[in-house]
Amino acid sequence: ESELVIVAINNSDSTVDYIFDISGADLSSSTASLFRTSQDEDCAEAKGLNIKENALEYCAPARSITTIITQSSKVRSAGL
């Protein structure tokens, strides 16, 4: 099993909607965890992630850092 880790940083004063392309990962039977640090949270477990066929959708609160960790049977390198 592989992990896919995404860190979303929102430096703005308003919420930001993110859509992450995950077409290289098979998340059909995966679990996902979110951990968020913001003005009101200190690495708190959070909710609000939508897993679609080829995308993760997340609305990040203002001035926050969110770590998304998924477990998957297949994760392909993005080749960044």
Side-chain angles (χ1 to χ4, degrees):
E1 214 167 272
S2 300
E3 278 189 347
L4 173 65
V5 178
I6 299 170
V7 178
I9 301 172
N10 180 2
N11 289 322
S12 74
D13 291 325
S14 58
T15 60
V16 173
D17 291 322
Y18 290 98
I19 299 175
F20 300 102
D21 179 355
I22 55 164
S23 55
D26 177 13
L27 299 182
S28 58
S29 61
S30 71
T31 59
S33 300
L34 275 83
F35 298 93
R36 185 167 52 224
T37 298
S38 66
Q39 184 175 356
D40 302 320
E41 301 162 301
D42 184 15
C43 198
E45 192 162 4
K47 297 186 188 290
L49 180 69
N50 293 318
I51 301 175
K52 305 257 177 157
E53 186 174 323
N54 290 316
L56 294 176
E57 297 178 354
Y58 175 66
C59 181
R63 303 266 175 216
S64 66
I65 300 172
T66 305
T67 303
I68 302 165
I69 304 168
T70 66
Q71 301 291 323
S72 173
S73 58
K74 175 185 126 188
V75 175
R76 183 181 66 208
S77 172
L80 299 175

